Amino acid sequence: MFLNYLTRQLSRIRNIFSNFAILFFKLIIMKKISLLLLFSMIVFPVASQTFKLNFKGDWMFTDVQLHKSQGNVSVNTMIDTGCTYCIIDSTYIEENCAGFIDLGKDLVTEGKGYPSIVLDSIVVCGKTFNDVKCLVLNLKRKFPDKFDFVLGVNILKQCVWKFNLKDSVLQICSSGEEFDGQVCKWENDKYYKFLPEDCIAFIGKVGKKTTMFYFDTGSNYCMLNKDLYDGQKVKVEAKVSTVKGTVTNIIPLYKDVNFKIKGNVFTCDFLESLLGNKKYNTINISFLKGKSFVLDYPQRKLIVL
C-alpha cells in the first residue's frame, strides 16, 4: 500500500515539473523570455552598483539622497562608524531643506538627549532606507570642516559594505557573500559597556601588550594610549575634532607603529591620546589606505582584501 502511495506522489511531482517546463518553453517560443537574458542570469550574477567615494584627510564621503514629505535633496555625506545615529546639520536644513523639513513641527526632543527628526527615507548606494532617525546638531559651529550630513551606524549596521580606497568606490554587497582576505572579527559591544552602541572594536596587541582598538571612521586621527608605546616620539601640532568642538594641541606623534588584530599585522601613525590612558585606542582608515576592505555588520567582520 505504501509503495502505491509513493508511486502516485512521484507521478504527481513529475507532472508538475513537466507542466512547468512546457509553460517555460512556450514563453521562450513566444519571445516573452529572451534566451540571451536567461543565459546571462544563469551564468553572470548581477553585480551590485558602485558609487564614488571622496576624501577629506582620513574622512570618507559619498553622496546620499534625503527624502521628507514632498521634497528631497542630495548631500555629500561623511561615513562615520563611530556615530550611533545619522546627523544632519541644523544650518544645512535652514539653507537647503526649508521647503520640506519644518524644524518647528518635525523636531523631536527626548528627555536630555539631542533633538532629532525622522526622514521618510534616505538613499545610499542605490538602496533605500525608510524611517531614518537623524540627530539635529549645529555641526558647522563645532566643526570647521563643515559636515552637512553624517551617515551613522543606524544605517551602516543593516548591510555589508565594500570600500575600495584605491579606486575611491563604495558598494553594498549581498549578505552572505564570501570574501578572501584578512578577517578581523569585532567584539560584541554588549560585553563592553564603556563602548558606544553597535560600535566596531577589536582586541589586539601593541608589542606584547593586549589592548582594544575602536574603529572610528569619524576620527580624524588614530589615537594610542601612551603606556603602550616606548619608541621615538615627534611632537606635532594637530587639530582634533571632538563632540565639544575642534581643539588644537601640540601632541606627541608615534611613527609607523605595528599593531595586531586577530593575528593580522597592520601599521600606521598614532597621536598620543589626549585623554590619558583610556580603555581603548582609536583607529581610522589610515591603516587601510590603498586597500579594499569589507565591513560585514551582520557577521561583525572587517575583511581586508
Side-chain angles (χ1 to χ4, degrees), residues 185-253:
K185 181 90 172 178
W186 67 73
E187 304 301 315
N188 190 332
D189 64 270
K190 292 179 176 60
Y191 301 121
Y192 300 94
K193 299 302 182 183
F194 56 86
L195 291 171
E197 184 180 353
D198 294 318
C199 74
I200 298 176
F202 306 98
I203 298 297
K205 285 189 174 183
V206 178
K208 294 182 179 180
K209 297 177 182 178
T210 300
T211 187
M212 177 171 281
F213 293 97
Y214 170 38
F215 183 45
D216 180 6
T217 61
S219 176
N220 49 351
Y221 298 103
C222 296
M223 308 293 289
L224 189 70
N225 289 333
K226 62 181 179 180
D227 65 339
L228 295 172
Y229 183 78
D230 54 10
Q232 187 177 1
K233 303 177 183 180
V234 179
K235 290 194 175 183
V236 296
E237 182 177 279
K239 291 183 178 180
V240 180
S241 298
T242 69
V243 175
K244 295 181 179 180
T246 299
V247 295
T248 300
N249 280 342
I250 303 298
I251 307 173
L253 172 69

Side-chain angles (χ1 to χ4, degrees), residues 114-288:
Y114 292 111
S116 64
I117 61 171
V118 177
L119 296 176
D120 293 345
S121 64
I122 70 172
V123 180
V124 190
C125 291
K127 181 177 175 65
T128 300
F129 300 86
N130 295 314
D131 300 324
V132 179
K133 179 179 177 178
C134 301
L135 304 183
V136 179
L137 302 176
N138 191 334
L139 295 175
K140 292 175 185 174
R141 185 184 65 190
K142 293 184 177 181
F143 306 108
D145 305 284
K146 188 185 174 183
F147 300 146
D148 293 323
F149 192 81
V150 175
L151 189 69
V153 179
N154 56 326
I155 295 299
L156 294 172
K157 69 181 181 180
Q158 300 182 44
C159 296
V160 178
W161 306 82
K162 182 179 179 182
F163 299 82
N164 182 334
L165 302 188
K166 181 179 179 181
D167 298 327
S168 301
V169 293
L170 170 67
Q171 65 187 105
I172 296 177
C173 300
S174 302
S175 182
E177 185 174 341
E178 296 292 330
F179 300 94
D180 292 325
Q182 298 170 284
V183 178
C184 303
K185 181 90 172 178
W186 67 73
E187 304 301 315
N188 190 332
D189 64 270
K190 292 179 176 60
Y191 301 121
Y192 300 94
K193 299 302 182 183
F194 56 86
L195 291 171
E197 184 180 353
D198 294 318
C199 74
I200 298 176
F202 306 98
I203 298 297
K205 285 189 174 183
V206 178
K208 294 182 179 180
K209 297 177 182 178
T210 300
T211 187
M212 177 171 281
F213 293 97
Y214 170 38
F215 183 45
D216 180 6
T217 61
S219 176
N220 49 351
Y221 298 103
C222 296
M223 308 293 289
L224 189 70
N225 289 333
K226 62 181 179 180
D227 65 339
L228 295 172
Y229 183 78
D230 54 10
Q232 187 177 1
K233 303 177 183 180
V234 179
K235 290 194 175 183
V236 296
E237 182 177 279
K239 291 183 178 180
V240 180
S241 298
T242 69
V243 175
K244 295 181 179 180
T246 299
V247 295
T248 300
N249 280 342
I250 303 298
I251 307 173
L253 172 69
Y254 311 148
K255 294 284 292 183
D256 299 324
V257 179
N258 293 325
F259 62 99
K260 289 184 179 180
I261 298 176
K262 307 297 183 182
N264 302 300
V265 180
F266 303 103
T267 303
C268 71
D269 297 341
F270 286 87
L271 290 180
E272 185 176 284
S273 175
L274 290 175
L275 302 176
N277 290 323
K278 299 174 65 176
K279 294 182 179 179
Y280 57 84
N281 311 277
T282 302
I283 49 178
N284 59 19
I285 65 167
S286 61
F287 78 102
L288 298 167

